[in-house]
């Protein structure tokens, strides 16, 4: 009887334990998580003007005059101005999905774009040789920028920049930034560089073949064809020289590649990856990092470089130099900078990415990235804004979490990482 009781107790205890083991851990719902932290899909609201059109224009005129714009320039440039209310809607467009790196590349590093770049390099060989002599920036790089920014000048934008920037200023949308560029555009007109009707570009004010904003135009645009006015809309010599000037000021180093695809050794310490970690090329080689294709790096042995993992440990790896950082100065986006680099390489020789991209992994949406930040914040690993932007703070928090969990600390926010956080 006593034995039977013990058996029954053991059976009941085992059943309870088994039941507990089979109960799945409840995962946090992303929408509920965002809602509980006050994060919604609804924009904060349309930009709202803080004064009447007449009051705004008078105040803008005074601000322009105080910065050296003449009354004549201001009055002529804004005569008959009508606001472009379509821009108000444009300011509210927040892309929910991120284009995967491989898709971004494949849409731009195409046989057609490569062939056109090669043709232009030959067509303007004399010009780019002289530009290279002056600015010490490799010619293929210049055309790579133009390919991405405007399809070699075919798509430069048709919005009147003065009207666009004035509208954004009136609606108090990023006013400090847009007013600075509006006054810069007025200065371009005052300098005689362009007429108001010539200054056209995107709705946000990016202009011409290189898509310079007006402040960038004043800082980097140069006259290279000898007409005394930098023309980034129709003049290839002026445009190419202007981009070269930009890259020179971004500290581009002639003769140094932007980077090269590499294979990482087994057991590689992924905490060493990322743009914040630099070693000499020789040091990386000593750790077992090898180029994906045969390439002599002896001349670069003392160059500082970083291991870039655009999609984490499961995707291609690149050894990138400070010239990659110079490209990021033009547009601080890894997909963009990789495209510039690979396009410029492909103008000279076939340069495919060797390691397959992890196409089965869908990049996190903005909502998922926000949820990831909240979950990291709850673990006291992240203290930044819940904005869905995976910057230095979020990346470091991810690395710390991965190290705590015994995962390779590549700092990449993939769906598996989000699920692990949600379901703990």
């Amino acid at each position: 009887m006593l034995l039977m009781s013990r058996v029954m107790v053991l059976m009941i205890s085992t059943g309870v334990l088994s039941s507990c083991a089979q109960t799945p851990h409840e995962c946090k719902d992303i929408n509920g998580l965002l809602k509980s932290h006050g994060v919604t899909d609804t924009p904060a609201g349309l930009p709202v003007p803080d004064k009447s059109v007449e009051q705004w224009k008078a105040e803008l005129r005074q601000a322009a005059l105080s910065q050296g714009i003449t009354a004549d320039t201001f009055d002529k440039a804004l005569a008959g101005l009508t606001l472009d209310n379509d821009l108000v809607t444009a300011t509210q467009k927040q892309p929910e999905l991120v284009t995967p790196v491989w898709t971004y590349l494949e849409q731009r590093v195409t046989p057609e774009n490569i062939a056109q770049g090669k043709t232009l390099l030959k067509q303007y060989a004399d010009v780019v040789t002289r530009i290279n002599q002056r600015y010490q920036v490799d010619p293929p790089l210049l055309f790579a920028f133009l390919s991405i920014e405007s399809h070699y000048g075919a798509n430069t934008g048709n919005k009147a920049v003065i009207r666009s920037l004035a509208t954004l200023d009136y609606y108090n949308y990023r006013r400090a930034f847009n007013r600075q560029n509006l006054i810069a555009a007025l200065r371009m007109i005052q300098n005689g560089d362009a007429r108001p009707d010539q200054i056209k570009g995107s709705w946000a004010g990016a202009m011409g073949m290189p898509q310079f904003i007006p402040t960038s135009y004043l800082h980097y645009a140069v006259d290279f064809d000898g007409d005394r006015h930098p023309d980034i809309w129709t003049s290839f010599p002026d445009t190419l020289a202007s981009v070269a000037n930009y890259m020179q000021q971004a500290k581009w180093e002639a003769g140094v590649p932007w980077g090269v695809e590499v294979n990482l050794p087994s057991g590689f310490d992924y905490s060493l990856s990322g743009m914040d970690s630099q070693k000499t090329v020789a040091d990386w080689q000593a750790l077992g990092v090898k180029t994906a294709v045969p390439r002599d790096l002896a001349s670069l042995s003392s160059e500082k470089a970083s291991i870039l993992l655009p999609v984490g440990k499961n995707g291609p790896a690149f050894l990138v130099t400070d010239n990659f950082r110079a490209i990021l100065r033009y547009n601080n986006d890894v997909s963009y900078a990789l495209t510039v680099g690979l396009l410029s390489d492909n103008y000279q020789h076939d340069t495919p990415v060797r390691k397959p991209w992890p196409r089965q992994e869908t990049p996190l949406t903005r909502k998922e990235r926000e949820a990831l930040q909240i979950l990291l914040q709850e673990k006291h690993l992240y203290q930044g804004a819940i904005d869905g932007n995976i910057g230095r703070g979020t990346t470091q928090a991810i690395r710390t979490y991965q190290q705590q969990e015994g995962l390779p600390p590549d700092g990449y926010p993939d769906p598996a990482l989000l699920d692990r956080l949600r379901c703990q």
Side-chain angles (χ1 to χ4, degrees):
M1 188 70 178
L2 181 59
L3 177 61
M4 181 68 71
S5 298
R6 287 178 177 173
V7 170
M8 290 182 67
V9 169
L10 179 61
M11 290 178 63
I12 292 171
S13 300
T14 303
V16 170
L17 290 173
S18 175
S19 175
C20 290
Q22 293 174 2
T23 301
H25 200 293
E26 184 177 352
C27 297
K28 294 180 180 179
D29 174 67
I30 288 177
N31 289 327
L33 189 66
L34 295 175
K35 185 177 180 180
S36 68
H37 284 74
V39 181
T40 68
D41 289 329
T42 306
L46 295 173
V48 178
D50 54 6
K51 51 182 69 72
S52 70
V53 173
E54 293 75 17
Q55 291 172 321
W56 160 77
K57 192 171 181 180
E59 188 267 336
L60 173 64
R61 188 176 189 273
Q62 185 59 42
L65 267 56
S66 71
Q67 296 187 48
I69 302 302
T70 67
D72 185 61
T73 297
F74 183 93
D75 294 339
K76 286 181 178 178
L78 276 76
L81 174 74
T82 58
L83 299 175
D84 186 351
N85 293 319
D86 290 341
L87 299 193
V88 179
T89 303
T91 64
Q92 297 299 292
K93 292 183 178 177
Q94 302 265 349
E96 172 67 14
L97 295 175
V98 173
T99 302
V101 176
W102 54 88
T103 301
Y104 188 96
L105 285 167
E106 289 166 358
Q107 290 173 344
R108 292 162 179 82
V109 187
T110 64
E112 295 77 17
N113 284 347
I114 293 168
Q116 190 170 355
K118 288 179 177 180
T119 298
L120 289 168
L121 272 165
K122 291 179 180 177
Q123 182 179 344
Y124 291 96
D126 292 340
V127 171
V128 293
T129 297
R130 289 188 290 115
I131 289 173
N132 189 31
Q133 289 171 347
R134 180 182 297 182
Y135 295 102
Q136 297 294 294
V137 176
D138 305 287
L141 186 81
L142 307 179
F143 284 102
F145 279 110
L146 299 194
S147 175
I148 301 171
E149 292 293 350
S150 64
H151 195 56
Y152 304 110
N155 303 314
T156 59
N158 59 7
K159 289 278 189 183
V161 169
I162 294 290
R163 185 188 186 206
S164 294
L165 293 174
T167 299
L168 295 173
D169 188 277
Y170 171 69
Y171 278 98
N172 201 18
Y173 179 74
R174 298 179 66 195
R175 176 166 284 170
F177 175 80
N178 285 307
R179 177 162 297 189
Q180 181 184 29
N181 277 285
L182 175 55
I183 292 175
L186 292 172
R187 199 174 308 282
M188 290 168 58
I189 296 168
Q190 187 164 291
N191 293 345
D193 293 323
R195 300 188 310 272
D197 61 296
Q198 291 177 309
I199 304 180
K200 292 187 176 180
S202 72
W203 70 266
M207 309 175 299
M209 287 190 267
Q211 291 293 279
F212 283 178
I213 56 175
T215 51
S216 293
Y217 176 93
L218 291 178
H219 195 67
Y220 301 111
V222 295
D223 166 41
F224 202 78
D225 59 15
D227 68 356
R228 300 184 180 179
H229 299 295
D231 176 5
I232 61 171
W233 292 272
T234 63
S235 170
F236 268 99
D238 286 4
T239 299
L240 294 166
S242 298
V243 175
N245 184 34
Y246 195 119
M247 294 310 295
Q248 184 190 62
Q249 294 194 47
K251 302 188 183 307
W252 179 270
E253 185 178 352
V256 176
W258 63 271
V260 61
E261 186 183 359
V262 293
N263 294 323
L264 303 179
S266 175
F268 178 76
D269 181 1
Y270 285 99
S271 68
L272 299 177
S273 65
M275 297 299 289
D276 287 338
S277 175
Q278 281 189 299
K279 296 179 182 295
T280 65
V281 170
D283 287 341
W284 287 119
Q285 289 179 304
L287 289 172
V289 175
K290 298 180 179 180
T291 58
V293 295
R295 186 164 179 178
D296 184 9
L297 299 180
S299 63
L300 302 174
S301 61
S302 62
E303 289 288 336
K304 290 284 190 178
S306 300
I307 298 295
L308 177 70
L309 304 174
V311 291
K313 66 184 185 304
N314 295 327
F318 299 88
L319 185 67
V320 297
T321 67
D322 281 340
N323 277 349
F324 188 79
R325 288 178 170 80
I327 299 173
L328 288 171
R329 282 275 303 276
Y330 200 102
N331 184 320
N332 192 30
D333 179 84
V334 167
S335 296
Y336 179 96
L338 269 177
T339 303
V340 169
L342 289 169
L343 257 179
S344 63
D345 285 351
N346 275 279
Y347 293 149
Q348 302 165 85
H349 45 79
D350 187 32
T351 313
V353 176
R354 300 289 176 173
K355 184 174 181 179
W357 295 98
R359 296 174 185 273
Q360 74 281 2
E361 294 182 7
T362 304
L364 299 183
T365 65
R366 176 178 55 80
K367 289 171 61 176
E368 289 172 332
R369 296 194 304 273
E370 290 169 342
L372 178 79
Q373 289 174 325
I374 290 172
L375 292 165
L376 290 169
Q377 192 178 78
E378 289 180 347
K379 291 184 175 294
H380 307 291
L381 300 176
Y382 175 70
Q383 287 80 42
I386 307 301
D387 55 10
N389 295 322
I390 307 298
R392 179 178 295 179
T394 307
T395 299
Q396 186 53 53
I398 292 171
R399 285 190 196 279
T400 302
Y401 173 74
Q402 289 171 325
Q403 288 170 328
Q404 290 176 353
E405 294 291 304
L407 302 171
D410 61 4
Y412 183 67
D414 61 14
L417 183 78
L418 176 60
D419 286 344
R420 189 183 188 99
L421 278 161
R422 286 196 308 116
C423 299
Q424 282 185 332

